[in-house]
Amino acid sequence: MRIRSLTGPVLLFVFVLACLAVAAWISVSSVSELPPVVSPALPPTAGPEPRDATGPEPVTQHNALRATTSFVETAAYPDHRVQVRHGVHYPQELYTENRVLLRRLRVESDGRGMRLSGEVLTNLFAESPPGEPALPVGPLLGWKLEIALFQNDAMVDTHLPGEVPHLPSLKSSEPGRAVPGQQATITVTELHHVYGLGRFSLPWLEKPLAPGVYFIVVGLNFSSQRPVLRDALCWCPNLYGVHVEEVRDEHTLEMKEKRRPVYGHPELHARAYEDLLAQGELVDSALIEVGQVLEGGKVSLRGPGQAEPNLHIRDGYLRRIDELSSAESQFQSWNEWWQQEKRKDEGNLRTEYMRLWRIFDEAIQARGGPLSPAERLISEQAALAEPQVLKQIRAFQDRLRFRCWVLLDGVLLYAGWHSVNRPGYDTWEAIKKQKYQPHQPPQPEPKSVRPNTVRDVWRERRELWRYFPDEIRDIAFDYLRRKEETEDFHAERFTKLDAKTIRFDAAKWSTMRAEFLAGFLAQTDEHIAGLDTTGEYAVQVWPTARQQIVDARDAALLLPFAWEWYIRTEQHNEPGADVAAGWGEHSMLLPEHLRSELATQAARPPGRIKDEFDLGYRGAYDQLQTYEFMNRRRRAIDAGLPLPGQD
């Protein structure tokens, strides 16, 4: 009886072992080509004797001086997902994916600044070439890698109020501007299983990164490598796949696929190797989304899985998890459809089902197999954290965009350009036609049913401007009141009668110009200073748009000089040098870069100055996507929601 009682457990144990063996065989057989096993006797390809690089980063004098108060670190890229597996259904000639990989990216802070560090895996394994024993074999080491941090100007937006914020489609090939001082060059000298490994630490930033989007990019540039390493790339079997071409069958005249392995075919191999070198480099990148990390004057970093995360990193491992999750989701949807439809036409549908099943299975196995529970947790935490970080970025960008909008449509347009161009143009017309334009009070809209009063005109205007903030509306309405209800801009103020001839009065214009320059410069300097993010952060946000705003401001500063030069030289035939000679006192009010070339820059028709103003004004308007921001504000007002940039 005792022997009989053991029969069941023993059989169960044998059955489990058999299942595990079959599962292992299926897993291995689904991989078309794995990196060969490394013999411990293989010599290093460059540098010192390789050591296993799984331990912690050695403490140096530099990083020992700073105590880390908070950090966010990504998971290590698992070895089984690093392996490159060749596809059967959609083969390629070159498999350059996963050859250079960022992993274990770490963003840390000492409470004041930030530092980015991490590891880079190189997945390049060479075999012994025929007739060239001098080339390295095994895991290729000695690669020089360039690492740099880039700042991207991507806008975080939503189409409708209350929607989850999102980023536009970003290309890793266009990472943005290099962050000054955030570059490093390393050499891969360590060995991690069958992969080369290098560690990097970018210099400490004395201030945190501003809320926004950043790319960390690593590149293996072929031209900067040693010749023996470039030559060894030719003999990495796993780099090369299958050449597919369409040929016509001699008997059936049907087009069929003809597949030939690239590696081992002299002509195809040589051509694929040339194509590889023509690519120039192998690259990997990670997207870093930085939220509001500066809190109460101190930097605090929190990543996915923590309360109120303010930093999220999307590296290659997370991208791979997302790819697997998408593939599994698509297969699940297809499987549900199959369960409902298979009874209708089981034969044909089953054939199609098996074909798609093989494609999905290949896609999943090529990425290292199904997701593990730990990877699903990583995906879930990232999916929860990223919208929170993007919301913080959007709030920061909205505040900055609001300041730019007030500066563009309020200060530059109405307090600046129109306030000079209106009297300049009216003065030109009065001298040209020898006639003053009669003063016209503000008129209501032609189809207005309200009484014809000034109060009604302003009531209609307030309704038309209801979607604009008070900061812009007040500046615009002040200009309109001066234009319509006062004589501030009338030509009579800047001309004189000389024997019944209307002539330009340089003294009166000079008085107006001095008042304008003093007030406008003070106003714009204050607003432009509000766009400077380098006081709190390590980088300037949207520097191109900021410079375009400065360019538009400079054009408005030149306009009062240009109108005087244009009227006196064109209407009164005065020498341009004599006109510019009287600008010395007022030129001292201008910024240095305008003061030194005032005679050249301002001695042009106002239309040319207008072109420069529009170039800066429209350039900043478009880059900041101001129309989209205005539409989002309008929708928020209509829906009774908090206003973007003012919440």
Side-chain angles (χ1 to χ4, degrees), residues 178-198:
V179 177
Q182 293 297 291
Q183 295 83 32
T185 301
I186 63 172
T187 301
V188 178
T189 58
E190 303 179 10
L191 189 64
H192 176 73
H193 303 305
V194 294
Y195 310 111
L197 186 143

Side-chain angles (χ1 to χ4, degrees), residues 129-150:
E132 296 185 50
L135 292 182
V137 296
L140 298 179
L141 304 180
W143 300 107
K144 289 184 178 180
L145 305 178
E146 301 291 335
I147 301 158
L149 181 65
F150 292 85

